[in-house]
Amino acid sequence: MSIAIYPGSFDPVTTGHVNLIERASKIFDHVIVCVLINSGKKTPLFSIDERVNMLECVTEGFHNVSVRYYDGLLVDFAKQEEANIIVRGLREMSDFDVELQMAQGNKAASDGTLETVFLPTDPNYSFVSSTMIREFANYHHICREFVPDIVAERLEEKVKSK
Ligand code: PNS
């Protein structure tokens, strides 16, 4: 049975992420979407619970997808879940440098057991990122076309309360 982990910050989940989850769910027996901490990103807009909740809402139609949160290293989470595949999306060439380093680092840290599979982002979403969505939202512009409806609602509530 192939168990793949799709890790990320998901702050918030975008339509690009959902597209990738759907495609991964057709390739692997089970996909675990895992919210992890990216120590390079200091000020999250949504709490972990809020991010997990939005992911649960947008993936409820996928029978072989579950959503988790982990506070620690991806390799440790993978070991705990007995998963040996990581899925990551590539939007553009500049993503590749950092993703290659992460893939090789995770493989080395897992004694060679953890493989990373890259899926090209759908060209319709190649410029969409959570960072861009947050930046627009900070100025009260909700990018409805690039986030699921539930995320648009939560973004609106979030910026109203700021
Ligand atoms: O959506 P992001 O921010 O590009 O995801 C990056 C993420 C969260 C997958 C990465 O930072 C991560 O794996 N964090 C967990 C800690 C870890 O294992 N770090 C070592 C690999 S860089």
Side-chain angles (χ1 to χ4, degrees), residues 5-103:
I5 298 173
Y6 179 38
S9 308
F10 303 110
D11 185 31
V13 56
T14 67
T15 39
H17 292 132
V18 178
N19 174 271
L20 206 115
I21 293 167
E22 182 172 10
R23 287 158 58 207
S25 75
K26 291 176 184 160
I27 300 171
F28 304 105
D29 294 323
H30 190 77
V31 177
I32 305 172
V33 182
C34 186
V35 179
L36 282 151
I37 308 292
N38 181 341
S39 53
K41 295 179 182 170
K42 298 288 178 210
T43 47
L45 181 62
F46 289 99
S47 71
I48 297 286
D49 284 351
E50 289 171 326
R51 285 182 252 168
V52 167
N53 180 263
M54 285 185 279
L55 277 162
E56 283 172 344
C57 291
V58 301
T59 59
E60 66 186 359
F62 304 130
H63 73 279
N64 62 340
V65 174
S66 53
V67 180
R68 301 284 302 279
Y69 154 68
Y70 191 73
D71 185 4
L73 285 177
L74 178 53
V75 284
D76 292 333
F77 179 70
K79 199 170 180 183
Q80 178 187 297
E81 299 300 317
E82 297 181 358
N84 56 2
I85 303 158
I86 296 170
V87 183
R88 292 284 287 173
L90 287 179
R91 285 170 302 188
E92 54 186 2
M93 278 313 287
S94 61
D95 280 346
F96 188 68
D97 287 346
V98 64
E99 293 297 335
L100 180 65
Q101 191 183 32
M102 218 153 68

